[in-house]
Amino acid sequence: MSNYSAGLGKPGSGKRRIRDLLNQPDNRVCADCGAPDPKWASANIGVFICLKCCGVHRSLGTHISKVLSVTLDDWSDEEVDSMIEIGGNASANSIYEAFVPEGSSKPGPDVSHEQRMRFIRSKYELQEFLKPSLRITSGKACSTKKPSFLKSNLSTKFMDSFRSNSSSTKIFEEGMVEFIGLLKVTVKKGTNLAIRDMMSSDPYVVLNLGKQKLQTTVVNSNLNPVWNQELMLSVPESYGPVKLQVYDYDTFSADDIMGEAELDIQPLITSAMAFGDPEMFGDMQIGKWLKSHDNPLIDDSIINIVDGKVKQEVQIKLQNVESGELELEMEWLPLDQ
C-alpha cells in the first residue's frame, strides 16, 4: 500500500475517500489505456478506468470486474476500503502487468475496441501478465500465494471466481460484444403492486439487457415501494428492449413474479445520437416514446435534455399481473461523451 493511500484509511465519506484516492497522481490516467481523467473504477480489482475501458470491464462480468462510477454510484464501505487497501493504479499494475511479454504493448486511449478488449482480457481474466506463481486457474483450488493486496475481501472473491466452473468460451463471446454507450436506469418507485404474501409483498426489480442482469434491493412488506436506486447497463451495438420483471422475495421458496414489461430504448438512443453533445444545448425536449396498445406506457414518455444530460421519464403499467405500476428514469451516456 502506498503512503498516500495509508492516509485515506480514516473514517469519512466513502465518495470523498474515493475522490481523494482518485487525485493520487497515478490514478489521474486510466489503468488500462492511459486515457486522462478516468471517472470509473473496478471496485474489486482496485483500478480507476476510463469510459471506453469500462465497457470492456462490464462485458467480462461482475465476477471478474465490478465497475462503479466515481461520481454516480453509491459505494459500500467494503468497496471503498478495498480500493484504498490496494492503493491505486500503480500498485495494482505492478502486479497485473508484472510480466507483459516482449512484443506486447499496452494500448493507448485511441486504440480499436478489439485491441482494448484483447489487452484487458489478457490482463485480468486470463492473468497472462501476472507472475506465474500468483496465477489462479479455473478448476481445482490452487495453493499458490496471492499478492498481499489481493487478501482484501472483495479482491479475494474476484480471484476465487477463477476457480468456478464457468466456461471461458462464454466469457470470450461476451468480451467480443462492442458497446455503444451506457444506460443508467433509476428505479424510482412502485404503486399498487400485486399481493403475493398474506397481506403484502417484498418486491424487487430485475433488469435484463442481453446477458446482463441487474436488480434492486428488496423492500419488505410494501405494495408502494420507493427505491430511487440507479442501475447501469452497457448497451451493445445490436441491442433490443430492456426486459423488466418485478418479483416478491421469498425466503423458503422460489420468488413469485409480480409483473413484467419491456422498455424500448431505441427512441432515447436515437434522439441522443441525433443531437450529439447535449452540453451544447439548453434544456429542451428532443424526442418521445409514444404510448400504444402494444407497449406498457401509461402516458407518452418524453425525452429531454436536462442540465446537459439526455434523460427520459417513464411510467409503466406492469404486464401479465392483476395490478402494479412503476416509475423510472433513463439516462443515456455515450462512450464518446
Side-chain angles (χ1 to χ4, degrees), residues 93-106:
N93 281 345
S94 70
I95 300 296
Y96 284 102
E97 296 180 7
F99 287 84
V100 178
E102 188 175 349
S104 296
S105 60
K106 190 168 182 173

PDB file of all heavy atoms in Angstrom, residues 93-106:
ATOM      1  N   ASN A  93      -1.166  -2.256 -11.037  1.00  0.00           N
ATOM      2  CA  ASN A  93      -0.463  -2.592 -12.279  1.00  0.00           C
ATOM      3  C   ASN A  93       0.886  -3.250 -12.019  1.00  0.00           C
ATOM      4  O   ASN A  93       1.388  -4.006 -12.864  1.00  0.00           O
ATOM      5  CB  ASN A  93      -0.283  -1.344 -13.141  1.00  0.00           C
ATOM      6  CG  ASN A  93      -1.548  -0.964 -13.894  1.00  0.00           C
ATOM      7  OD1 ASN A  93      -2.478  -1.771 -13.992  1.00  0.00           O
ATOM      8  ND2 ASN A  93      -1.597   0.241 -14.423  1.00  0.00           N
ATOM      9  N   SER A  94       1.482  -2.960 -10.864  1.00  0.00           N
ATOM     10  CA  SER A  94       2.749  -3.623 -10.551  1.00  0.00           C
ATOM     11  C   SER A  94       2.569  -5.126 -10.403  1.00  0.00           C
ATOM     12  O   SER A  94       3.541  -5.884 -10.538  1.00  0.00           O
ATOM     13  CB  SER A  94       3.331  -3.040  -9.263  1.00  0.00           C
ATOM     14  OG  SER A  94       2.549  -3.413  -8.123  1.00  0.00           O
ATOM     15  N   ILE A  95       1.339  -5.552 -10.149  1.00  0.00           N
ATOM     16  CA  ILE A  95       1.027  -6.984 -10.066  1.00  0.00           C
ATOM     17  C   ILE A  95       0.468  -7.488 -11.393  1.00  0.00           C
ATOM     18  O   ILE A  95       0.967  -8.452 -11.969  1.00  0.00           O
ATOM     19  CB  ILE A  95       0.014  -7.247  -8.937  1.00  0.00           C
ATOM     20  CG1 ILE A  95       0.582  -6.783  -7.590  1.00  0.00           C
ATOM     21  CG2 ILE A  95      -0.362  -8.720  -8.887  1.00  0.00           C
ATOM     22  CD1 ILE A  95       1.798  -7.526  -7.135  1.00  0.00           C
ATOM     23  N   TYR A  96      -0.575  -6.808 -11.890  1.00  0.00           N
ATOM     24  CA  TYR A  96      -1.281  -7.302 -13.071  1.00  0.00           C
ATOM     25  C   TYR A  96      -0.494  -7.122 -14.368  1.00  0.00           C
ATOM     26  O   TYR A  96      -0.789  -7.780 -15.365  1.00  0.00           O
ATOM     27  CB  TYR A  96      -2.641  -6.614 -13.197  1.00  0.00           C
ATOM     28  CG  TYR A  96      -3.670  -7.135 -12.232  1.00  0.00           C
ATOM     29  CD1 TYR A  96      -3.985  -6.431 -11.080  1.00  0.00           C
ATOM     30  CD2 TYR A  96      -4.324  -8.341 -12.460  1.00  0.00           C
ATOM     31  CE1 TYR A  96      -4.926  -6.910 -10.178  1.00  0.00           C
ATOM     32  CE2 TYR A  96      -5.259  -8.832 -11.566  1.00  0.00           C
ATOM     33  CZ  TYR A  96      -5.553  -8.107 -10.425  1.00  0.00           C
ATOM     34  OH  TYR A  96      -6.485  -8.594  -9.540  1.00  0.00           O
ATOM     35  N   GLU A  97       0.509  -6.236 -14.369  1.00  0.00           N
ATOM     36  CA  GLU A  97       1.330  -6.039 -15.563  1.00  0.00           C
ATOM     37  C   GLU A  97       2.802  -6.352 -15.273  1.00  0.00           C
ATOM     38  O   GLU A  97       3.701  -5.846 -15.937  1.00  0.00           O
ATOM     39  CB  GLU A  97       1.185  -4.605 -16.067  1.00  0.00           C
ATOM     40  CG  GLU A  97      -0.226  -4.249 -16.537  1.00  0.00           C
ATOM     41  CD  GLU A  97      -0.328  -2.810 -17.034  1.00  0.00           C
ATOM     42  OE1 GLU A  97       0.720  -2.133 -17.141  1.00  0.00           O
ATOM     43  OE2 GLU A  97      -1.455  -2.369 -17.328  1.00  0.00           O
ATOM     44  N   ALA A  98       3.035  -7.224 -14.318  1.00  0.00           N
ATOM     45  CA  ALA A  98       4.412  -7.526 -13.902  1.00  0.00           C
ATOM     46  C   ALA A  98       5.201  -8.236 -14.996  1.00  0.00           C
ATOM     47  O   ALA A  98       6.422  -8.054 -15.102  1.00  0.00           O
ATOM     48  CB  ALA A  98       4.395  -8.382 -12.638  1.00  0.00           C
ATOM     49  N   PHE A  99       4.535  -9.023 -15.825  1.00  0.00           N
ATOM     50  CA  PHE A  99       5.230  -9.824 -16.823  1.00  0.00           C
ATOM     51  C   PHE A  99       4.554  -9.686 -18.188  1.00  0.00           C
ATOM     52  O   PHE A  99       4.109 -10.666 -18.776  1.00  0.00           O
ATOM     53  CB  PHE A  99       5.276 -11.299 -16.390  1.00  0.00           C
ATOM     54  CG  PHE A  99       6.232 -11.570 -15.269  1.00  0.00           C
ATOM     55  CD1 PHE A  99       5.838 -11.372 -13.960  1.00  0.00           C
ATOM     56  CD2 PHE A  99       7.531 -11.976 -15.517  1.00  0.00           C
ATOM     57  CE1 PHE A  99       6.719 -11.599 -12.914  1.00  0.00           C
ATOM     58  CE2 PHE A  99       8.418 -12.201 -14.472  1.00  0.00           C
ATOM     59  CZ  PHE A  99       8.016 -12.015 -13.168  1.00  0.00           C
ATOM     60  N   VAL A 100       4.482  -8.453 -18.691  1.00  0.00           N
ATOM     61  CA  VAL A 100       3.975  -8.240 -20.050  1.00  0.00           C
ATOM     62  C   VAL A 100       5.027  -8.769 -21.014  1.00  0.00           C
ATOM     63  O   VAL A 100       6.183  -8.343 -20.982  1.00  0.00           O
ATOM     64  CB  VAL A 100       3.708  -6.749 -20.321  1.00  0.00           C
ATOM     65  CG1 VAL A 100       3.238  -6.547 -21.754  1.00  0.00           C
ATOM     66  CG2 VAL A 100       2.662  -6.216 -19.349  1.00  0.00           C
ATOM     67  N   PRO A 101       4.675  -9.728 -21.869  1.00  0.00           N
ATOM     68  CA  PRO A 101       5.687 -10.361 -22.730  1.00  0.00           C
ATOM     69  C   PRO A 101       6.294  -9.383 -23.731  1.00  0.00           C
ATOM     70  O   PRO A 101       5.668  -8.413 -24.138  1.00  0.00           O
ATOM     71  CB  PRO A 101       4.905 -11.483 -23.436  1.00  0.00           C
ATOM     72  CG  PRO A 101       3.480 -11.092 -23.317  1.00  0.00           C
ATOM     73  CD  PRO A 101       3.341 -10.303 -22.059  1.00  0.00           C
ATOM     74  N   GLU A 102       7.517  -9.656 -24.104  1.00  0.00           N
ATOM     75  CA  GLU A 102       8.206  -8.832 -25.087  1.00  0.00           C
ATOM     76  C   GLU A 102       7.437  -8.875 -26.404  1.00  0.00           C
ATOM     77  O   GLU A 102       6.996  -9.935 -26.854  1.00  0.00           O
ATOM     78  CB  GLU A 102       9.638  -9.351 -25.278  1.00  0.00           C
ATOM     79  CG  GLU A 102      10.503  -8.457 -26.136  1.00  0.00           C
ATOM     80  CD  GLU A 102      11.939  -8.925 -26.201  1.00  0.00           C
ATOM     81  OE1 GLU A 102      12.297  -9.821 -25.410  1.00  0.00           O
ATOM     82  OE2 GLU A 102      12.676  -8.401 -27.042  1.00  0.00           O
ATOM     83  N   GLY A 103       7.272  -7.742 -27.012  1.00  0.00           N
ATOM     84  CA  GLY A 103       6.500  -7.677 -28.256  1.00  0.00           C
ATOM     85  C   GLY A 103       5.072  -7.241 -28.036  1.00  0.00           C
ATOM     86  O   GLY A 103       4.396  -6.827 -28.977  1.00  0.00           O
ATOM     87  N   SER A 104       4.590  -7.361 -26.788  1.00  0.00           N
ATOM     88  CA  SER A 104       3.247  -6.880 -26.464  1.00  0.00           C
ATOM     89  C   SER A 104       3.350  -5.452 -25.941  1.00  0.00           C
ATOM     90  O   SER A 104       4.320  -5.096 -25.267  1.00  0.00           O
ATOM     91  CB  SER A 104       2.587  -7.763 -25.397  1.00  0.00           C
ATOM     92  OG  SER A 104       2.400  -9.066 -25.887  1.00  0.00           O
ATOM     93  N   SER A 105       2.372  -4.646 -26.262  1.00  0.00           N
ATOM     94  CA  SER A 105       2.386  -3.264 -25.803  1.00  0.00           C
ATOM     95  C   SER A 105       1.033  -2.904 -25.204  1.00  0.00           C
ATOM     96  O   SER A 105      -0.003  -3.427 -25.627  1.00  0.00           O
ATOM     97  CB  SER A 105       2.725  -2.315 -26.949  1.00  0.00           C
ATOM     98  OG  SER A 105       1.777  -2.429 -27.997  1.00  0.00           O
ATOM     99  N   LYS A 106       1.074  -2.005 -24.242  1.00  0.00           N
ATOM    100  CA  LYS A 106      -0.153  -1.530 -23.613  1.00  0.00           C
ATOM    101  C   LYS A 106      -0.894  -0.615 -24.586  1.00  0.00           C
ATOM    102  O   LYS A 106      -0.276   0.230 -25.237  1.00  0.00           O
ATOM    103  CB  LYS A 106       0.214  -0.776 -22.333  1.00  0.00           C
ATOM    104  CG  LYS A 106      -0.963  -0.425 -21.445  1.00  0.00           C
ATOM    105  CD  LYS A 106      -0.466   0.043 -20.095  1.00  0.00           C
ATOM    106  CE  LYS A 106      -1.616   0.361 -19.160  1.00  0.00           C
ATOM    107  NZ  LYS A 106      -1.157   0.655 -17.798  1.00  0.00           N
TER     108      LYS A 106
END
